[in-house]
Amino acid sequence: MRVSNRKAVLLLLKNGYDDIWLKPHGRRHDLVYNTGEWYRALDLWNLFDGICFNEDGEAIFFQVKTNAWAKAQPIKDFLEDKKNLRVLVINVRGQKRKWDILVRKYESK
């Protein structure tokens, strides 16, 4: 996971994203408060590994996956009632010598 996170960060920096923050994973989960039931989350809203800013200063949530794509529907569901949010899913595939880094983009309305 550390290798794929590093590859994803380098890709973000190369493409103009800045102030990249990765949420550390640990034993303790964050408590997320909402109008329904409160819940514990390992990632941001159990979806995102971090936040960064694009060249226009917009906040971008991102998820890093290794050798797989994240399920699209939970991301689409999250964005459904939000405005002006963008999400990147970064898929880092490979081994020690050959790496492919693929990106999917999602936007709220």
Side-chain angles (χ1 to χ4, degrees), residues 21-75:
W21 175 77
L22 289 167
K23 183 179 184 320
H25 292 156
R27 277 188 337 194
R28 302 188 190 279
H29 294 96
D30 296 327
L31 184 56
V32 179
Y33 303 93
N34 62 25
T35 55
E37 293 184 23
W38 300 356
Y39 62 94
R40 299 230 174 238
L42 180 62
D43 295 319
L44 296 165
W45 301 288
N46 279 328
L47 284 174
F48 307 113
D49 294 310
I51 304 170
C52 62
F53 293 95
N54 66 12
E55 291 174 328
D56 296 326
E58 299 166 321
I60 310 293
F61 297 104
F62 65 89
Q63 187 177 117
V64 180
K65 299 298 276 185
T66 305
N67 296 320
W69 284 110
K71 292 180 182 177
Q73 197 57 50
I75 295 168

Side-chain angles (χ1 to χ4, degrees), residues 3-105:
V3 172
S4 58
N5 283 351
R6 182 70 179 153
K7 298 281 184 193
V9 166
L10 291 174
L11 176 85
L12 289 169
L13 289 169
K14 179 180 175 184
N15 287 290
Y17 295 92
D18 203 1
D19 292 315
I20 300 163
W21 175 77
L22 289 167
K23 183 179 184 320
H25 292 156
R27 277 188 337 194
R28 302 188 190 279
H29 294 96
D30 296 327
L31 184 56
V32 179
Y33 303 93
N34 62 25
T35 55
E37 293 184 23
W38 300 356
Y39 62 94
R40 299 230 174 238
L42 180 62
D43 295 319
L44 296 165
W45 301 288
N46 279 328
L47 284 174
F48 307 113
D49 294 310
I51 304 170
C52 62
F53 293 95
N54 66 12
E55 291 174 328
D56 296 326
E58 299 166 321
I60 310 293
F61 297 104
F62 65 89
Q63 187 177 117
V64 180
K65 299 298 276 185
T66 305
N67 296 320
W69 284 110
K71 292 180 182 177
Q73 197 57 50
I75 295 168
K76 290 178 180 178
D77 291 345
F78 178 83
L79 292 173
E80 189 174 301
D81 61 347
K82 312 294 186 297
K83 294 183 180 180
N84 304 317
L85 286 183
R86 290 179 175 77
V87 171
L88 298 176
V89 176
I90 303 167
N91 183 353
V92 181
R93 295 180 182 190
Q95 299 295 327
K96 293 180 182 178
R97 302 194 193 290
K98 172 97 169 82
W99 293 94
D100 291 320
I101 305 170
L102 308 167
V103 178
R104 288 187 179 166
K105 297 178 182 182

